[in-house]
Amino acid sequence: MNQKEIPYKIYLEESEMPKSWYNVRADMKEKPEPLLNPGTHKPVTLAELSGIFCEELAKQELNDTDVYIEIPEEIRKFYKMYRPSPLVRAYCLEEKLQTPAKIYYKFEGNNTSGSHKLNSAIAQAYYAKQQGLKGVTTETGAGQWGTALSMACSYFDLDCKVYMVKVSYEQKPFRREVMRTYGASVTPSPSDTTDVGRQILKEHPGTTGSLGCAISEAVEAAVSTEGYRYVLGSVLNQVLLHQSVIGLETKAALDKYGIEPDVIIGCAGGGSNLGGLISPFMGEKLRGEKDYQFIAVEPASCPSLTRGKFAYDFCDTGRVCPLAKMYTLGSGFIPSANHAGGLRYHGMSGVLSKLYDDGLMEARSVEQTAVFEAATQFARVEGILPAPESSHAIRVAIDEALKCKETGEEKTIVFGLTGTGYFDMVAYEKFNNGEMSDYIPTDEDLQPGFDSLPKM
Ligand SMILES: *Cc1c(COP(=O)(O)O)cnc(C)c1O
């Protein structure tokens, strides 16, 4: 096809939007290891999981066999309010870089939550409502997940209790207010409203909190309140499943113009956007139909794939969640305070960890000043002000495009632009003032995290 005929934005018709999510685990010959009960170290049962999560979501969590899972009509209706998201040809960036590479990005920032997280939030809220629950609890770090969930809960008239990492609660008051505007209650974590919060405050007075700690509080609040369940915005199999809508739309849009990607790139915090973006393409690779290069990009200051251990670990600091086998820095790992770019979770999706361990996906770590350089370069030519998280993918997409400039290869690069960065202006300010520095933990810095791994 004549490249000129490819529009800046490839949209799908509503009728072309996916009607089912794609479950990549069904196509994996080697399945991820099962979640384990943290007390008995035996595989968790549906009954055990259903005490924490909504029953339908617990089923999805354990479903290794169904290739497609239908998206309920009500969720598809909600998706239509902000989807399909555009697949954009980055013509202006290509021109700026003077690269023969063709660059596309799937933009997920076109909703109030500002990220892809709404794709799973609406599904999780829907199943909670179906089950007749009163409400859900969750944690949020930077606030995107809490915002997405509060939007989803208000749509289904569910109560939403958010435990927000204290440092973000204080530094991002506007995120907090967005959540409250949608009717959520927001508690800074660690708090004195839970046993685990009180325990952590006693052991670490003055702590500014962590995601793992906020998860523990949210889980405790869910299991100790009648009619509530806990929901999580990343890492879990069910979240990757819901996020497959990103990859399915991307694939449908590329297919429409007969475009074959060579490289697919995404940032990786807990792995949900990357997993969702690559799933349908990974399925083709797993079935031996096609080959693609997949690259996960993570911060050098929180390098779970590139420097972590592939081991069973706790998902939370309070050690109440099931154990997952994943690439992890240990649930005791706390990222450096100087790290501004999100993606600070200690572990990685079990599905992505397994695919990475099996050599089906690559991973790279990048330093934050290089990430903000890429973010700025992108904003100036493509217009969108990217989230720092998303900018990790931009960094590597630019690096790959510059390699093509050297070699003359006309590779087709697709990356996930997960969201916008309007609430991250403190980090941008630091960068613009030349006050941002890089921090790469030494092996000694990482050791205490590894020491916190459970002895199996
Ligand atoms: C949460 C978030 C991420 C990282 O989460 P994943 O589960 O790894 O996708 C990336 N980008 C944005 C904008 C986010 O809000």
Side-chain angles (χ1 to χ4, degrees):
M1 152 133 353
N2 181 346
Q3 290 297 329
K4 283 276 177 294
E5 290 171 37
I6 294 172
Y8 273 71
K9 283 192 190 132
I10 305 177
Y11 276 109
L12 298 175
E13 303 293 330
E14 278 181 11
S15 60
E16 295 169 312
M17 288 171 65
K19 297 189 174 55
S20 300
W21 292 302
Y22 168 67
N23 181 14
V24 70
R25 281 169 289 154
D27 277 323
M28 290 170 72
K29 276 162 221 96
E30 300 255 341
K31 308 289 182 202
E33 302 286 332
L35 294 171
L36 301 183
N37 177 310
T40 63
H41 291 188
K42 295 232 170 65
V44 288
T45 61
L46 180 61
E48 287 168 340
L49 268 191
S50 303
I52 305 174
F53 302 121
C54 304
E55 182 147 357
E56 203 52 42
L57 293 167
K59 280 185 195 155
Q60 292 179 0
E61 196 58 34
L62 299 176
N63 188 333
D64 276 352
T65 48
D66 291 325
V67 181
Y68 287 101
I69 294 174
E70 195 183 329
I71 307 175
E73 177 69 32
E74 274 200 79
I75 299 175
R76 281 196 275 146
K77 259 170 57 188
F78 189 91
Y79 277 171
K80 282 178 191 167
M81 286 197 275
Y82 71 100
R83 310 197 68 82
S85 71
L87 182 71
V88 185
R89 173 75 184 267
Y91 281 118
C92 301
L93 180 63
E94 289 170 19
E95 201 176 303
K96 182 78 184 175
L97 298 174
Q98 292 284 301
T99 173
K102 298 167 189 71
I103 309 174
Y104 295 85
Y105 57 90
K106 179 72 167 163
F107 180 48
E108 291 291 321
N110 250 336
N111 66 77
T112 298
S113 79
S115 82
H116 64 288
K117 292 199 172 69
L118 194 53
N119 301 333
S120 184
I122 194 63
Q124 298 196 43
Y126 168 82
Y127 291 115
K129 189 68 183 180
Q130 283 289 301
Q131 195 173 321
L133 297 178
K134 289 192 201 118
V136 293
T137 69
T138 199
E139 79 296 330
T140 198
Q144 289 99 318
W145 167 245
T147 308
L149 188 69
S150 62
M151 291 172 72
C153 285
S154 72
Y155 184 75
F156 286 120
D157 200 18
L158 279 168
D159 185 34
C160 179
K161 293 187 200 298
V162 180
Y163 287 86
M164 185 170 188
V165 177
K166 191 180 276 169
V167 59
S168 303
Y169 182 91
E170 285 160 4
Q171 288 179 357
K172 301 199 170 178
F174 293 159
R175 274 272 188 223
R176 185 180 78 208
E177 286 323 307
V178 178
M179 288 184 256
R180 281 164 28 110
T181 302
Y182 283 96
S185 67
V186 188
T187 307
S189 167
S191 75
D192 60 6
T193 66
T194 61
D195 285 341
V196 61
R198 285 187 289 271
Q199 184 66 29
I200 291 167
L201 282 173
K202 207 168 96 192
E203 284 169 18
H204 308 277
T207 174
T208 54
S210 70
L211 265 185
C213 162
I215 295 176
S216 302
E217 287 206 88
V219 172
E220 183 183 319
V223 299
S224 61
T225 318
E226 178 68 30
Y228 281 74
R229 290 292 186 282
Y230 167 68
V231 295
L232 178 61
S234 185
V235 187
L236 297 173
N237 297 334
Q238 54 187 275
V239 184
L240 262 73
L241 176 73
H242 306 147
Q243 296 296 356
S244 69
V245 69
I246 304 173
L248 291 164
E249 281 186 9
T250 302
K251 187 153 165 39
L254 291 171
D255 285 349
K256 228 172 149 167
Y257 285 87
I259 304 160
E260 300 248 350
D262 297 296
V263 192
I264 305 177
I265 302 166
C267 63
S272 74
N273 86 83
L274 176 67
L277 174 65
I278 70 173
S279 275
F281 301 95
M282 183 60 85
E284 292 184 298
K285 182 160 170 158
L286 289 164
R287 296 190 301 269
E289 297 162 10
K290 292 265 172 69
D291 196 14
Y292 302 102
Q293 184 184 13
F294 301 106
I295 310 176
V297 191
E298 59 184 14
S301 54
C302 190
S304 50
L305 282 171
T306 50
R307 294 177 67 197
K309 297 214 188 312
F310 191 35
Y312 269 104
D313 192 13
F314 298 99
C315 297
D316 60 322
T317 318
R319 309 186 157 193
V320 288
C321 288
L323 293 166
K325 182 151 183 203
M326 57 185 175
Y327 274 86
T328 179
L329 297 167
S331 62
F333 174 79
I334 305 211
S336 152
N338 119 336
H339 169 67
L343 310 175
R344 12 168 86 237
Y345 187 63
H346 65 273
M348 183 58 60
S349 138
V351 174
L352 289 187
S353 292
K354 178 73 182 151
L355 292 168
Y356 175 64
D357 202 58
D358 288 347
L360 291 156
M361 180 181 87
E362 299 167 27
R364 281 188 210 161
S365 72
V366 289
E367 293 172 39
Q368 63 178 356
T369 51
V371 167
F372 278 82
E373 272 161 26
T376 305
Q377 190 171 16
F378 182 84
R380 289 181 185 178
V381 291
E382 289 289 323
I384 296 169
L385 181 81
E389 292 91 339
S390 322
S391 305
H392 289 71
I394 300 176
R395 174 72 272 162
V396 169
I398 291 178
D399 290 346
E400 289 298 303
L402 290 175
K403 267 189 220 161
C404 288
K405 185 175 172 176
E406 276 173 28
T407 61
E409 281 174 293
E410 295 185 20
K411 281 190 184 170
T412 296
I413 299 169
V414 173
F415 73 90
L417 187 68
T418 50
T420 46
Y422 307 127
F423 289 101
D424 299 288
M425 297 324 290
V426 173
Y428 273 96
E429 181 185 31
K430 256 194 187 165
F431 176 73
N432 292 333
N433 287 343
E435 290 160 359
M436 182 173 277
S437 59
D438 291 317
Y439 169 75
I440 303 179
T442 63
D443 290 345
E444 289 72 47
D445 293 335
L446 294 180
Q447 196 54 46
F450 295 141
D451 292 341
S452 73
L453 287 170
K455 309 282 173 286
M456 301 297 289

